[in-house]
Amino acid sequence: MGSSEDNPRKPHKQTHIKSKLKILLLVILTNILTIYIFTSPSFKFNLSDYTRNLPLWDLHTLLQQQNTTQKEFSASTTQIAELKQKLATATSLLETLLSELAHFREDPSTNTGDWGGELSSELKLLVGPHKLPLGFSPNMGTDEIYPPMGAGCRKFLDELNQYTSYDVGGECPVDNVFSQRLMLKGCEPLPRRRCHPKSPVGYVEPTPLPTSLWATPPDTSIIWEPYNCKSYQCLIDRPKTKGYRDCKDCFDLQGREKTRWLRDNGLDYGIDDILSTKPPGTVRIGLDIGGGTGTFAARMRERNVTIITSTMDFDGPFNSFIASRGLIPIHISVAHRLPFFENTLDIVHSMHVLSNWIPDTILEFTLYDIYRVLRPGGLFWLDRFFCRGSQLNTTYVPMFNRVGFNKLRWNAGLKFDRGVQMNEWYLSALLEKPMS
Ligand SMILES: *[C@@H]1O[C@H](CO)[C@@H](O)[C@H](O)[C@H]1NC(C)=O
Ligand SMILES: *[C@@H]1O[C@H](CO)[C@@H](O)[C@H](O)[C@H]1NC(C)=O
Ligand SMILES: *[C@@H]1O[C@H](CO)[C@@H](O)[C@H](O)[C@H]1NC(C)=O
């Protein structure tokens, strides 16, 4: 699986389909030609031609012949009618075929020949299309549905085939590391659709709210297979130099998590201070991008604000942990287009995650997307964005300006790591989408 590059293109599949279609067309054309010859004006039954060679002196024979002729004539008429019908059928079949052929050419996603290799039968279904019942298309603007699948999946056919080779109706393979790597390669959304995830053994009912907001769930509530740690205590105790460096102690709900966003001090803004920049109760729904174990959402929940937390499961069961707190995790990468409609959210927050490790173009996509989903007057709280000092004024400030946010608060400062000054800057900012 590893870092496999694009597969060498194998065009034989496409050629195969093309030659099949060619043969089919040839057969139909031959049939049409035959029908045409037999029904064309030159094949009219001509009685006078027929009688010209008869011996006129034999009236009886002539009558007999005429009788036979009449029978043959009516038989021929029936035959011609049948042939005409066949021609009509063949023509409509040909029209259908031609339109499907055009469809194949127009839409690369249905052209399995472009995949550069064989697709399994399940993968063919996962790619689609799937026809809608007649009469539905006027409402939806399409007469077929394609199951969504990240365009990046197409570049890694071996991995895609591996990922979709599950037993339909059976248990899905536990392969989070592999599947998240696929997501980062642009195979997002992932295409696995018809298997059951493995269930943890000994799952117990969740802790009720509001206690669940600050409760660590029992170890039996999740599958530990994909992680180095096999218990929540291990996640809390793991060495601070290893693992996901910006969320190294965020599973410890009694530690630093307990005090985050409670005080307003320099680069660290307080939740209540941020909420008070807007009329009471008007910040109600939002998103925390890369929200770790969900503590931001928990604090907001205590203030009756509903926050969805996006997170990947690198080095830890972040999604399950957030859900166990009674909060909503959403499993999307930072490159994913936000799954919200435009002008809808009151607030978007992100701490540490949006920073200079993200390629500039992807970061700009994300910033525009945050702007898109925020409602007019919505808040974007950029919390401890880090970068090198030289990047701040040359790359990032112009980028924020390009996207078009208003600046309500802005704090930049040198980064210190355990008292040691690093050659990195932190930026915290409260930005606002203009009202118009
Ligand atoms: C012609 O056909 C009719 C009925 O089909 C029959 O009555 C008649 O005898 C036939 N005439 C001859 C000459 O065979
Ligand atoms: C949250 O809502 C509940 C129920 O409406 C209310 O009792 C409580 O005071 C609210 N809490 C805050 C911090 O506004
Ligand atoms: C960026 O520019 C501002 C003013 O334009 C300046 O005060 C600040 O020191 C600069 N920051 C860095 C990190 O160079």
Side-chain angles (χ1 to χ4, degrees):
M1 46 200 209
S3 58
S4 77
E5 299 302 317
D6 292 34
N7 292 303
R9 296 252 148 185
K10 284 180 235 154
H12 72 271
K13 179 78 184 170
Q14 193 175 7
T15 319
H16 187 60
I17 291 171
K18 271 191 185 161
S19 63
K20 261 191 185 168
L21 280 169
K22 271 182 195 160
I23 291 168
L24 199 56
L25 278 175
L26 215 61
V27 169
I28 289 165
L29 284 173
T30 317
N31 278 338
I32 287 172
L33 202 63
T34 315
I35 291 165
Y36 176 74
I37 290 166
F38 279 91
T39 55
S40 65
S42 60
F43 186 66
K44 267 201 189 123
F45 198 86
N46 195 326
L47 191 66
S48 58
D49 279 356
Y50 195 64
T51 51
R52 195 169 295 150
N53 304 324
L54 288 175
L56 291 171
W57 43 267
D58 194 343
L59 187 65
H60 181 71
T61 315
L62 183 67
L63 282 173
Q64 264 187 341
Q65 289 278 13
Q66 201 173 345
N67 243 4
T68 321
T69 304
Q70 261 168 7
K71 278 180 195 158
E72 277 179 5
F73 182 71
S74 68
S76 298
T77 313
T78 321
Q79 222 173 0
I80 286 169
E82 276 172 16
L83 285 172
K84 270 189 177 160
Q85 190 146 20
K86 277 186 189 165
L87 178 66
T89 314
T91 309
S92 82
L93 187 68
L94 184 67
E95 274 169 4
T96 313
L97 259 169
L98 283 175
S99 82
E100 295 224 333
L101 195 66
H103 193 102
F104 260 92
R105 292 226 180 90
E106 279 165 16
D107 194 334
S109 65
T110 56
N111 191 347
T112 49
D114 275 358
W115 283 78
E118 288 287 335
L119 304 191
S120 69
S121 54
E122 180 71 357
L123 187 46
K124 277 182 194 149
L125 293 178
L126 294 168
V127 172
H130 299 276
K131 282 253 175 247
L132 286 168
L134 277 173
F136 269 81
S137 29
N139 304 332
M140 305 195 182
T142 176
D143 58 359
E144 53 200 13
I145 284 183
Y146 295 77
M149 179 195 296
C153 305
R154 301 174 65 90
K155 296 188 196 128
F156 306 99
L157 191 60
D158 288 346
E159 282 146 300
L160 184 61
N161 266 319
Q162 184 187 337
Y163 184 73
T164 54
S165 65
Y166 47 81
D167 291 336
V168 173
E171 193 176 276
C172 310
V174 179
D175 52 8
N176 308 23
V177 175
F178 170 55
S179 57
Q180 291 196 136
R181 193 183 303 147
L182 262 181
M183 286 168 77
L184 292 184
K185 287 171 163 185
C187 189
E188 189 182 21
L190 287 165
R192 192 179 277 169
R193 301 303 283 270
R194 289 207 289 182
C195 54
H196 299 117
K198 194 172 167 180
S199 272
V201 178
Y203 185 85
V204 293
E205 294 286 331
T207 310
L209 277 167
T211 314
S212 64
L213 289 178
W214 298 99
T216 299
D219 287 339
T220 55
S221 63
I222 64 157
I223 308 279
W224 289 93
E225 226 167 298
Y227 312 108
N228 293 324
C229 273
K230 305 295 175 202
S231 71
Y232 284 112
Q233 196 55 49
C234 165
L235 288 173
I236 292 169
D237 294 340
R238 63 185 167 174
K240 299 213 187 302
T241 49
K242 282 190 184 167
Y244 199 40
R245 72 172 189 159
D246 286 313
C247 211
K248 54 200 172 212
D249 45 13
C250 63
F251 282 95
D252 183 5
L253 297 185
Q254 305 314 314
R256 201 148 70 130
E257 291 296 290
K258 198 84 193 174
T259 56
R260 279 193 204 280
W261 304 294
L262 290 185
R263 278 171 288 115
D264 199 90
N265 179 27
L267 288 163
D268 298 314
Y269 302 164
I271 278 184
D272 291 321
D273 301 81
I274 297 300
L275 292 180
S276 69
T277 61
K278 293 282 163 182
T282 58
V283 176
R284 308 148 303 149
I285 52 172
L287 169 71
D288 189 19
I289 298 176
T293 48
T295 295
F296 182 80
R299 282 283 176 232
M300 290 297 249
R301 163 111 203 181
E302 290 168 343
R303 287 153 179 79
N304 290 337
V305 181
T306 304
I307 296 290
I308 290 178
T309 307
S310 77
T311 182
M312 296 286 274
D313 273 5
F314 294 123
D315 290 327
F318 291 92
N319 279 276
S320 308
F321 194 87
I322 292 165
S324 80
R325 297 177 79 176
L327 304 165
I328 306 171
I330 185 168
H331 188 213
I332 52 171
S333 80
V334 77
H336 196 289
R337 186 179 193 266
L338 297 173
F340 303 103
F341 197 68
E342 45 254 48
N343 298 319
T344 53
L345 302 186
D346 299 317
I347 188 167
V348 173
H349 171 259
S350 183
M351 184 179 195
H352 285 155
V353 173
L354 298 184
S355 284
N356 69 348
W357 71 271
I358 298 180
D360 290 352
T361 307
I362 300 277
L363 183 65
E364 187 163 337
F365 288 170
T366 306
L367 294 174
Y368 268 103
D369 214 25
I370 291 166
Y371 187 100
R372 178 181 66 82
V373 301
L374 280 174
R375 64 165 169 85
L379 297 173
F380 173 33
W381 176 355
L382 184 62
D383 197 351
R384 287 186 170 263
F385 176 98
F386 66 82
C387 62
R388 291 195 305 279
S390 56
Q391 293 177 306
L392 189 61
N393 280 349
T394 56
T395 305
Y396 296 116
V397 171
M399 194 188 286
F400 294 132
N401 290 339
R402 256 199 314 279
V403 178
F405 290 108
N406 297 330
K407 282 181 199 161
L408 301 187
R409 294 180 68 174
W410 186 273
N411 295 80
L414 274 166
K415 179 178 173 183
F416 288 85
D417 198 349
R418 274 162 282 170
V420 181
Q421 184 182 311
M422 313 297 284
N423 186 25
E424 274 184 336
W425 280 70
Y426 267 134
L427 167 70
S428 285
L430 183 64
L431 306 170
E432 183 191 47
K433 176 163 169 171
M435 287 300 284
S436 56

